[in-house]
Amino acid sequence: MARVNCPNCLAKATVTSREKQSDHVVHLYCSCNNTKACGATFRICQSFDHFLNPPVTNTTEMAAALLKQLPRQAQLDLLNSC
């Protein structure tokens, strides 16, 4: 898991609990480990943004869908060029 830092003093913080908002969003409740000088508690919103490289199953499905849109001869030509 990613490291969480206090937004006030930038010290390490500990995730004390999490609250799922949706499949792609979660709220992390955190506590600053710098208890003598800061001691802040705060909430971070963590969310999924996008894939940098899609999962293999998605890539295979996308390739198959694109191939199906080509005429039969174009499909064969493409497969034979590999």
Side-chain angles (χ1 to χ4, degrees):
M1 180 173 239
R3 180 177 175 164
V4 176
N5 291 77
C6 175
N8 180 60
C9 70
L10 305 179
K12 279 185 180 182
T14 301
V15 176
T16 56
S17 65
R18 44 189 297 129
E19 184 178 80
K20 184 177 176 179
Q21 301 299 305
S22 69
D23 286 342
H24 299 295
V25 178
V26 64
H27 286 160
L28 302 176
Y29 291 85
C30 306
S31 175
C32 178
N33 292 346
N34 182 7
T35 55
K36 291 183 181 178
C38 182
T41 57
F42 53 95
R43 183 178 85 175
I44 292 177
C45 182
Q46 180 184 28
S47 66
F48 171 79
D49 187 17
H50 67 276
F51 287 110
L52 299 176
N53 184 26
V56 174
T57 54
N58 291 9
T59 305
T60 303
E61 290 169 6
M62 285 188 292
L66 289 171
L67 269 174
K68 287 179 184 176
Q69 292 178 9
L70 293 174
R72 182 73 176 150
Q73 189 56 49
Q75 291 177 16
L76 294 172
D77 291 345
L78 184 61
L79 291 172
N80 289 329
S81 68
C82 295

